[in-house]
Structure formats: C-alpha cells, structure tokens
C-alpha cells in the first residue's frame, strides 16, 4: 500500500507554528519580491482571494485588518518539510518527497485494520511533533492514493485520513464522484479528448482497456488507467537520483543595469549551484549564465543574452565555477540595459566518483584536487552548522537592487537561533 501525506496550507501552517496569533486569521504568503499570493489559509479563501492575486490589489483588505500578508520564507518552509519527512520515515518503509508539502510513503505488510490505525497515528504524530496539519490518503497505487488524499481533505467524514482498497464499494463510489480533471496526471486537453469518447469521470477512465488507451493516447495515460484499476504502474522515484543540470535564478527586487550589483547576484547564484552540485556528488563541465530584461516594459530596451563557459576540467569547486560565471557575465553584459533577472546553470554533469582522469595529470594535480575537496567540504560543513551564507566567496552589498523585496518576512525560526524571540526567565 502507498500513502500520500499532504501538508494543509503548508506555507501558512509553517508561519502559524511560530505565530499562534495568526490562527483563525485570513493569512496569505506572497511570491518572490512580494508580488502575488502563492499560499492561502482557509479563511482568506473564504474572502474570495484567488491564487495569484497581486498584492497591490489587496491593500484595501490589509488596511481594514481583514487579511495578513507575509513574505515567502523558503528556508523556514524547507526546514519544516524536512522535519515532517523525518517523522514519516519512522512510520513507513520508505519516503518519496513529491513536493515540499507532499510525500509518498510505503505501508507494506499491513492488514486493513491495523493500516487505518497506523495512518491515523501518523496523522496525529506529525501534528503533535511539528504543528503542521496533514491529510493522509492510502491506497494500492499512487494515483488512487492521490484520490484518497483528496477525499481525506474534502470530506469531513474521513477526519483527515482515508484508506482505499482496490475493488471495494467505497473506492468505486469515490471514482464515480470524481471528475476526470481531478485525476492525477489528466490535464485539460486530455479531459476534452476523452469526453469525445464519453469518458467523464475517474470511474469511466478506470473501465477503459489500457492497451487501447496506450494505442490511442499514450503510455502515460495507460499507466493512469492501470493505477485506477488498482495495478501499480508508476514506480517510486529515487529521491537521491542526481539531476542532469542544476540552475539557480531569481528575479531582482527592482530593475538594475549596474554591473557590480548584477555580478553580486551571479556570484550568489553560482555559489548556491555549486553547493547543490556537491550535495549530489557531481561535477560540472560547463557553466551557463543568462540575463533577462522585462518584456512587459516596452518603454525599455530589450536584451536577454546568455553564454556558456566550458571548464578546463570537471569540477565542483566554487572558485572555478564563480570564475567561469564571471567570464560569462563579462561577455554578455551591456550597460544600456536594465535587467530584471539573472541565473546560473551548471550543465554537462558527471558523477564525481566516475570521472575520467587525464593522462597528463601529475602528482601536483592530484594534490590540488585534494586541497580543493577539503576546502569545499569545510565551507559546506560550516554553512550547514552555522547557517547558509556564513562562509561565502565575497560578501553581498546590503540593500542591493538584486535583493528580493520581502518587507513582511518572518524570522527563520528553525534555522537561526539568534532570531528566536526572547523568552522571559521565570
């Protein structure tokens, strides 16, 4: 059996853990640069605030005290997600993060009765240990687990936990009540095409012959049909599988054409990408840098260049990656333009343990690699223990244009002990 654990209103819930005064209030979390709403509490949804609503359109509600908007705090959310992950590992045979607030878990070997109690215990334990409310859906396949999780969230009878079994009347009834567009992996265009075949619900899709669906549509939809029939057809992804490329990019807090400021942003992105590279034990052969102007500003000159710098040898050394990124920036920068975004991508990645050494390598080359590895390991260790950005190659200027707007960001409660609120001594 497969379970899907979904954290309810995750970003808002993370904020409420450390700010109980927000409980029961209409709360929204904003995107980078405090642009638009990307997470909503149940209360703010009831006020009619839609996902993606620009923050400036909500100022009248803020002035009246009806809603409370916060800047996104991804470091906090990532840490809380890791805490939820750790608890799930204690309750299951394996955990597969699907997103920052959703995780698939394995429940192998449980009989139906004990499985329900186990899922309820997990539901309670996550809330007790982290303060994050979750819903748990359990079923024989991931697609059915998605539907079970949706039922656990939408139907009060389940009280946050729904366990479905293949072929049961309960499962059949849920499939018959589920619109095709609510099935995991079935997009709007597929809904329109399947409607021509009189397939309108999850139950209708489950009754299709999977071989015919494969021939008429795709292998992906065939797997969905099998999963709805209770046959596991989607393998559990390896969460530790190395990525084929690593990119770090972000929009600036305001437009800028200053080379020094853009260079600082590129340097920060390159260092962050190098950290991710070492974490997955890979090396990069090339560094790709891009800049972007604002296409929605026809009054400004438009220019969105990019450049790739090939490295002399595969590396994970931040110094070499930063040097290559700096060369790329110098090649594409033009002073007449005002840029809104910059990014660094590490491409052509290889496994660090399987790199092919050159016949020209000397004992000095090997010693240099060892010194580099020790230096990078020391930097990563200090940043992990003391907080990201403790040790960097160059210190960013405070208040630079490329910094994100985050006027309402809460402290990083779980990762910066010096930001914790003072507690009076008894």
């Amino acid at each position: 059996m497969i379970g899907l654990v979904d954290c309810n209103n995750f970003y808002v819930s993370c904020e409420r853990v450390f700010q109980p005064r927000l409980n029961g209030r209409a709360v929204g979390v904003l995107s980078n640069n405090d642009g638009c709403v990307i997470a909503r509490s149940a209360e703010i949804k009831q006020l009619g605030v839609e996902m993606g609503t620009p923050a400036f359109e909500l100022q009248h509600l803020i002035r009246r005290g009806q809603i409370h908007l916060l800047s996104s705090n991804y470091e906090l959310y990532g840490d809380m997600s890791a805490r939820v992950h750790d608890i799930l590992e204690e309750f299951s045979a394996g955990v597969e993060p699907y997103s920052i607030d959703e995780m698939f878990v394995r429940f192998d070997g449980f009989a139906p009765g004990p499985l329900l109690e186990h899922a309820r215990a997990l539901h309670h334990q996550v809330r007790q240990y982290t303060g994050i409310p979750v819903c748990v859906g359990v079923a024989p396949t991931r697609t059915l687990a998605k539907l079970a999780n949706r039922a656990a969230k939408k139907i009060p009878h389940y009280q946050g936990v729904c366990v479905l079994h293949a072929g049961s009347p309960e499962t059949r009834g849920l499939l018959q009540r589920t619109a095709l567009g609510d099935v995991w992996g079935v997009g709007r265009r597929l809904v329109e095409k399947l409607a021509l075949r009189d397939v309108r619900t999850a139950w209708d899709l489950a009754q299709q012959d999977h071989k015919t669906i494969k021939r008429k549509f795709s292998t992906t939809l065939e797997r969905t049909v099998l999963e709805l029939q209770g046959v596991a057809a989607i393998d559990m992804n390896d969460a530790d599988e190395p990525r084929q490329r690593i990119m770090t990019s972000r929009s600036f807090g305001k437009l800028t054409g200053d080379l020094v400021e853009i260079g600082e942003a590129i340097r920060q992105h390159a260092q962050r990408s190098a950290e991710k590279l070492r974490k997955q034990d890979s090396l990069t052969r090339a560094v790709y840098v891009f800049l972007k102007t604002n296409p929605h500003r026809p009054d400004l000159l438009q220019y969105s260049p990019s450049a790739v710098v090939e490295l002399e040898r595969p590396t994970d050394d931040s110094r070499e990656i930063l040097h290559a990124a700096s060369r790329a920036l110098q090649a594409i920068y033009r002073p007449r333009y005002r840029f809104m975004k910059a990014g660094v991508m590490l491409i052509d990645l290889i496994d660090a343990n399987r790199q092919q050494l050159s016949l020209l390598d000397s004992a000095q080359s090997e010693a240099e690699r060892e010194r580099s590895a020790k230096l990078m390991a020391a930097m990563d260790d200090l940043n992990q223990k003391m907080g990201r950005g403790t040790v960097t190659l160059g210190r960013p200027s405070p208040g630079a244009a490329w910094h994100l707007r985050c006027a309402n960001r809460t402290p990083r409660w779980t990762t910066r002990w010096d930001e914790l609120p003072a507690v009076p001594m008894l």
Side-chain angles (χ1 to χ4, degrees):
M1 298 288 278
I2 298 293
L4 177 65
V5 179
D6 181 17
C7 302
N8 300 339
N9 306 319
F10 182 58
Y11 292 175
V12 173
S13 295
C14 289
E15 301 287 357
R16 283 174 166 173
V17 168
F18 299 97
Q19 300 185 82
R21 65 183 179 83
L22 297 177
N23 290 330
R25 294 187 62 183
V27 180
V29 175
L30 300 172
S31 62
N32 287 342
N33 295 315
D34 293 348
C36 58
V37 176
I38 58 171
R40 302 170 297 162
S41 68
E43 295 80 5
I44 202 171
K45 292 176 185 177
Q46 293 174 357
L47 292 176
V49 176
E50 299 291 338
M51 190 73 80
T53 302
F56 71 84
E57 293 183 3
L58 303 173
Q59 293 304 309
H60 64 291
L61 295 177
I62 297 174
R63 287 193 294 269
R64 292 203 294 261
Q66 290 184 264
I67 66 173
H68 191 80
L69 297 183
L70 300 172
S71 303
S72 53
N73 191 344
Y74 292 109
E75 193 167 359
L76 170 66
Y77 309 150
D79 186 74
M80 294 299 288
S81 177
R83 294 185 179 204
V84 173
H85 181 281
D86 291 342
I87 294 173
L88 298 184
E89 283 194 327
E90 298 179 7
F91 277 79
S92 68
V95 180
E96 176 198 8
Y98 179 65
S99 66
I100 193 171
D101 61 345
E102 290 182 274
M103 302 177 194
F104 286 108
V105 295
R106 284 193 175 278
F107 291 130
D108 300 333
F110 280 92
L115 176 57
L116 178 59
E117 294 305 315
H118 188 73
R120 286 174 176 167
L122 182 150
H123 175 266
H124 172 73
Q125 205 88 335
V126 172
R127 180 64 181 267
Q128 181 181 15
Y129 286 0
T130 68
I132 302 295
V134 299
C135 287
V136 183
V138 185
T141 70
R142 286 165 184 76
T143 303
L144 286 176
K146 272 276 192 178
L147 288 178
N149 183 276
R150 187 173 183 274
K153 182 177 295 186
K154 301 288 186 181
I155 304 176
H157 164 74
Y158 288 112
Q159 298 182 334
V161 180
C162 175
V163 178
L164 299 178
H165 298 278
S168 70
E170 182 181 18
T171 301
R172 175 173 180 168
L174 181 61
L175 290 173
Q176 290 174 335
R177 295 192 302 272
T178 301
L180 196 56
D182 292 328
V183 176
W184 184 35
V186 180
R188 179 179 58 82
R189 291 185 178 180
L190 268 179
V191 170
E192 294 172 354
K193 291 179 180 180
L194 289 168
L196 299 176
R197 300 172 61 91
D198 203 28
V199 176
R200 303 181 185 281
T201 67
W203 175 254
D204 295 336
L205 184 58
Q207 301 311 298
Q208 302 300 304
D209 176 67
H210 67 91
K211 293 182 179 179
T212 302
I213 289 294
K214 178 181 180 180
R215 187 172 64 253
K216 298 285 187 180
F217 293 92
S218 66
T219 300
T220 301
L221 189 58
E222 178 198 25
R223 290 174 180 165
T224 299
V225 171
L226 289 170
E227 291 253 324
L228 292 174
Q229 294 171 351
V231 179
I234 300 175
D235 294 332
M236 199 168 190
N237 295 327
D238 184 2
D240 298 322
E241 183 180 352
R243 286 173 283 184
Q244 300 304 305
R245 61 182 184 178
I246 293 174
M247 184 171 75
T248 305
S249 67
R250 185 168 290 172
S251 297
F252 300 153
K254 58 182 179 181
L255 298 178
T256 181
D258 188 277
L259 178 59
V260 174
E261 291 185 337
I262 297 171
E264 288 183 357
I266 291 294
R267 187 169 64 239
Q268 296 302 309
H269 296 340
Q271 289 187 79
R272 180 62 184 136
S273 294
E275 291 173 1
K276 297 176 184 178
L277 185 72
R278 291 191 291 271
K279 188 173 182 180
Q280 73 170 34
D281 207 15
S282 295
L283 306 175
T284 182
R285 292 194 181 102
V287 178
Y288 172 92
V289 172
F290 70 89
L291 301 175
K292 186 176 181 181
T293 52
N294 189 344
H296 303 294
R297 289 289 302 274
D299 57 314
L300 299 177
L301 294 172
Q302 297 298 311
Y303 176 55
S304 299
S306 63
V308 176
V309 173
E310 187 175 354
L311 299 166
E312 292 184 4
R313 61 183 178 84
T315 186
D316 62 1
D317 191 312
S318 294
R319 296 169 298 175
E320 297 179 35
I321 293 171
L322 262 65
H323 180 65
S326 178
R327 286 173 54 199
L329 175 61
Q330 292 292 338
I332 63 177
Y333 172 77
R334 300 291 182 273
R336 295 182 299 152
Y337 302 92
R338 300 179 66 192
F339 298 98
M340 64 167 288
K341 187 175 185 179
V344 174
M345 183 186 298
L346 306 183
I347 58 179
D348 202 4
L349 307 187
I350 63 172
D351 189 334
N353 299 315
R354 298 180 182 178
Q355 64 170 314
Q356 185 174 0
L357 302 179
S358 170
L359 293 174
L360 302 178
D361 279 352
S362 62
Q364 182 179 0
S365 300
E366 180 62 28
E368 289 176 357
R369 276 195 294 269
E370 290 180 2
R371 284 196 296 270
S372 171
K374 290 180 180 178
L375 176 60
M376 294 300 108
M379 286 180 57
D380 292 342
D381 187 52
L382 286 170
N383 285 327
Q384 183 176 6
K385 290 179 179 178
M386 307 299 294
R388 184 186 301 164
T390 301
V391 180
T392 64
L393 301 175
R395 179 64 60 180
S397 304
W402 64 271
H403 286 292
L404 291 176
R405 292 194 302 271
C406 48
N408 301 307
R409 176 176 287 167
T410 53
R412 294 167 173 80
W413 303 108
T414 64
T415 55
R416 288 287 302 276
W417 64 269
D418 56 328
E419 288 185 344
L420 287 173
V423 179
M425 299 297 291
L426 298 177

